[in-house]
């Protein structure tokens, strides 16, 4: 289910070529003793199921992280609602749940990234009181992967 | 030791008012069965100790994270080298170690944030083959904390 959402999300954000995780990866990494991530889903009653017959219509993937200055934090990697179910407060409800789970675990902040061109998402997050740290303090999100990561690891 | 580095780093990045973690927080969260973060340090021989007599001269704090599209990742929260020890390859060596530990744990990428005004740090990361995702794909780093987080958690 998560994988099918991932693919929808990838289509929406025009990154289908970037999905490398398999069903097996997600099972191994999320459902083990010391999971790399946690996931929550939103389910609608059978009578409101989607055109394709799904009752699970949204999901969020998050993990616990750490900021040396402020302590425990929660990082939300994905927040996805199927297009036909948008505008009903499902995204807000899922994000509220992530915030509640974070606070319950002693987290002081919730972090995530958003694509600058994704105006609907940015507006939504602004309405939830989120701050764009890239605009406010110039926090740039960086990445080292593939050959660059392999090269870095070779002293 | 980590806390004293944190304070130096906070001074360097002009964020001393933002350090809220205590010695106890760091001990509790980093040295438990299921730690929120991991830390590595660089130590120099006694004869090269710092002006104040320290032999531990650099540290990095990192944690394991997850990208639904690509799987396991490692997030480097801090990379700090005492000013008098900079330019000797210590930062590079620490970051190499984080990359090695990440790859050994099956991570596909190493992520972190850097402040836009911190030109020396940005140049250093570019030389290590890191990509600025904020500039390249417009990934903005977002945060929800304090009252905003409390409000979000209250449905």
């Amino acid at each position: 289910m998560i994988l099918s959402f991932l693919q929808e999300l990838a289509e929406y954000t025009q990154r289908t070529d970037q999905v490398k995780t398999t069903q097996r990866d997600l099972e191994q990494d999320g459902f083990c003793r010391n999971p790399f991530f946690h996931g929550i889903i939103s389910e609608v009653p059978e009578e409101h199921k989607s055109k394709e017959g799904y009752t699970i219509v949204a999901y969020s993937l998050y993990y616990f992280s750490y900021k040396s200055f402020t302590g425990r934090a929660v990082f939300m990697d994905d927040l996805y609602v199927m297009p036909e179910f948008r505008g009903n407060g499902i995204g807000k409800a899922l994000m509220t749940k992530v915030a509640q789970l974070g606070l319950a675990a002693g987290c002081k902040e919730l972090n995530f990234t958003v694509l600058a061109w994704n105006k609907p998402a940015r507006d939504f997050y602004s309405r939830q009181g989120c701050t764009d740290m890239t605009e406010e303090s110039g926090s740039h999100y960086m990445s080292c992967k593939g050959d660059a990561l392999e090269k870095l690891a070779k002293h």
Side-chain angles (χ1 to χ4, degrees), chain A:
Chain A
M1 193 68 221
I2 290 183
L3 193 62
S4 102
F5 275 142
L6 277 191
Q7 275 143 2
E8 287 183 32
L9 177 61
E11 275 165 39
Y12 179 66
T13 53
Q14 299 157 22
R15 293 181 295 165
T16 39
D17 55 320
Q18 290 172 38
V19 178
K20 310 285 182 208
T21 41
T22 62
Q23 179 84 20
R24 188 149 176 269
D25 290 331
L26 295 167
E27 281 172 9
Q28 259 185 353
D29 296 336
F31 302 88
C32 53
R33 178 185 282 270
N34 210 337
F36 281 83
F37 68 86
H38 304 271
I40 52 173
I41 53 166
S42 286
E43 198 160 13
V44 293
E46 185 68 24
E47 63 268 33
H48 292 129
K49 67 184 177 204
S50 77
K51 280 177 294 198
E52 290 90 1
Y54 293 131
T55 54
I56 297 169
V57 301
Y59 88 104
S60 177
L61 187 155
Y62 67 95
Y63 52 82
F64 292 106
S65 62
Y66 211 78
K67 311 279 277 187
S68 61
F69 284 16
T70 48
R72 298 181 194 178
V74 52
F75 197 101
M76 186 172 71
D77 187 55
D78 289 334
L79 181 68
Y80 179 74
V81 180
M82 283 174 70
E84 63 182 287
F85 290 90
R86 284 179 202 160
N88 298 312
I90 296 174
K92 167 74 166 73
L94 266 181
M95 199 170 164
T96 291
K97 192 71 196 172
V98 174
Q100 287 169 350
L101 291 163
L103 284 171
C107 298
K108 302 293 182 213
E109 51 186 270
L110 166 64
N111 300 296
F112 54 99
T113 60
V114 68
L115 290 164
W117 60 259
N118 194 347
K119 186 84 167 49
R122 295 181 70 185
D123 290 346
F124 166 79
Y125 292 130
S126 291
R127 287 197 302 275
Q128 314 314 324
C130 303
T131 307
D132 186 330
M133 302 303 286
T134 296
E135 282 192 355
E136 270 202 15
S137 63
S139 273
H140 281 216
Y141 187 74
M142 307 284 293
S143 199
C144 186
K145 49 193 162 188
D147 291 343
L149 183 59
E150 296 282 349
K151 195 170 163 233
L152 174 60
K154 284 196 195 93
H155 207 28

